[in-house]
Amino acid sequence: MNVIVNDQGFSPEDWTDGFVTLDDAANDVVAFDVSSDTDPDELIDRLGSAQMVRVDFPSSADGRGFTIARVLRLKGYTGRLRAKGHVLADQYAMARRSGFDEVEIDHSLAARQPEDQWLARANWQENNYQARLRG
């Protein structure tokens, strides 16, 4: 099992309903597993009553998942959003600001970037560069 990162630190997986890809989706999907190249405008039309969307980050240099999260939030999605894969501790604040509720990482990344590194970025709301510039 992977490690879930949220503002309180590392926690075990608590989602038990599984995930379905867009290609395999039928009616009443509870949670979607989407790739970073998914069009968020098409995704929002297919979400229905889905309680969670998990967005894959194939590389820490691939920021398309942040755009997916932001667009879903701007279009009114209120369910859980989870970033999965190669998200670094340094990117945690960006993930939260763009709309993700949590990040799912594997145990090897958790070992390289321990919980204290993620918690150092958990105060993402207090350190907002753009808000400081606006005054």
Side-chain angles (χ1 to χ4, degrees), residues 19-82:
F19 295 90
V20 175
T21 66
L22 287 174
D23 293 336
D24 296 331
N27 295 333
D28 299 326
V29 173
V30 177
F32 281 106
D33 209 359
V34 299
S35 64
S36 61
D37 63 352
T38 300
D39 181 345
D41 292 317
E42 290 179 21
L43 178 58
I44 196 73
D45 294 334
R46 298 189 59 191
L47 286 179
S49 61
Q51 298 171 20
M52 184 189 291
V53 176
R54 181 170 70 175
V55 181
D56 185 48
F57 279 74
S59 162
S60 60
D62 185 346
R64 295 175 292 176
F66 298 122
T67 301
I68 293 171
R70 186 70 179 143
V71 169
L72 291 180
R73 292 298 190 207
L74 288 173
K75 293 190 177 255
Y77 180 69
T78 58
R80 270 169 89 174
L81 278 177
R82 178 185 289 180

Side-chain angles (χ1 to χ4, degrees), residues 3-6 8-12 105 109-111 113-116 118-119:
V3 176
I4 305 302
V5 183
N6 57 36
Q8 289 72 45
F10 288 179
S11 62
I105 59 174
L109 180 57
Q113 296 192 318
E115 184 176 34
D116 63 319
W118 294 86
L119 286 172

Side-chain angles (χ1 to χ4, degrees), residues 2 9 15-16 19 23 31 85 116 123:
N2 289 334
W15 186 258
T16 59
F19 295 90
D23 293 336
D116 63 319
N123 63 347

Side-chain angles (χ1 to χ4, degrees), residues 6-9 89 92-94 96-97 116-129 132:
N6 57 36
D7 292 348
Q8 289 72 45
Y92 182 71
M94 175 60 77
R96 293 290 284 130
R97 279 194 194 99
D116 63 319
Q117 292 184 21
W118 294 86
L119 286 172
R121 282 109 179 138
N123 63 347
W124 58 276
Q125 293 171 317
E126 297 172 14
N127 297 310
N128 185 337
Y129 177 75
R132 283 187 303 197

Side-chain angles (χ1 to χ4, degrees), residues 56-61 84-88 91 104 106 109 112:
D56 185 48
F57 279 74
S59 162
S60 60
K84 175 187 182 258
H86 296 281
V87 179
L88 304 177
Q91 296 172 312
E104 179 181 341
D106 63 29
L109 180 57
R112 286 191 314 273

